[in-house]
Amino acid sequence: QVQLVESGGGLVKPGGSLRLSCAASGFTFDDYVLGWFRQAPGKEREGVSCINCSDSTTLYADSVKGRFTISRDNAKNTVYLQMNNLTPEDTAVYYCAADSAASGLSEFMFDFWGQGIQVTVSS
């Protein structure tokens, strides 16, 4: 069955960096769109970034442009989210997602989800 397992979360100070990883199994990784979403306390889940989801290859939410970078390693069946210059507003549970045909950053386009991992930005 499809499995997506996130790792790399934790507590970081403002201005710091974290790299999230998502190890995938149970599907043909190379053929799938991968995405990262997040949900802060009391807020709806929002799209952060996706790769191979559009003609421009990657998409980013305006709030993370220039600070976050999504990448994938098809040999390792893993997608990454490098997060730099983190702020308290980035505090959320981050989810990895996969779909065979997603074309944007809407959560409704993605069929498969990881369990989520906490990222907390605080001094």
Side-chain angles (χ1 to χ4, degrees):
Q1 72 277 22
V2 173
Q3 280 195 316
L4 298 168
V5 181
E6 301 97 338
S7 61
L11 174 64
V12 63
K13 293 182 179 181
S17 298
L18 280 176
R19 187 177 80 155
L20 302 182
S21 299
C22 175
S25 61
F27 61 98
T28 307
F29 185 81
D30 298 23
D31 295 340
Y32 272 62
V33 175
L34 284 304
W36 286 98
F37 293 77
R38 67 185 182 185
Q39 188 167 21
K43 294 187 177 181
E44 293 185 353
R45 188 156 56 184
E46 63 172 345
V48 174
S49 182
C50 57
I51 187 165
N52 300 118
C53 51
S54 74
D55 291 341
S56 59
T57 306
T58 58
L59 289 177
Y60 294 93
D62 287 344
S63 58
V64 307
K65 279 181 182 177
R67 300 187 299 122
F68 290 13
T69 303
I70 191 171
S71 62
R72 64 189 297 165
D73 185 337
N74 289 343
K76 295 182 178 180
N77 283 9
T78 301
V79 60
Y80 304 98
L81 185 69
Q82 177 66 43
M83 305 185 293
N84 298 329
N85 195 21
L86 286 159
T87 73
E89 288 69 37
D90 295 315
T91 295
V93 176
Y94 283 71
Y95 298 89
C96 172
D99 191 85
S100 62
S103 58
L105 263 178
S106 169
E107 63 176 311
F108 302 107
M109 293 183 177
F110 287 80
D111 280 341
F112 303 112
W113 293 84
Q115 80 286 353
I117 193 163
Q118 179 70 45
V119 171
T120 302
V121 185
S122 175
S123 55

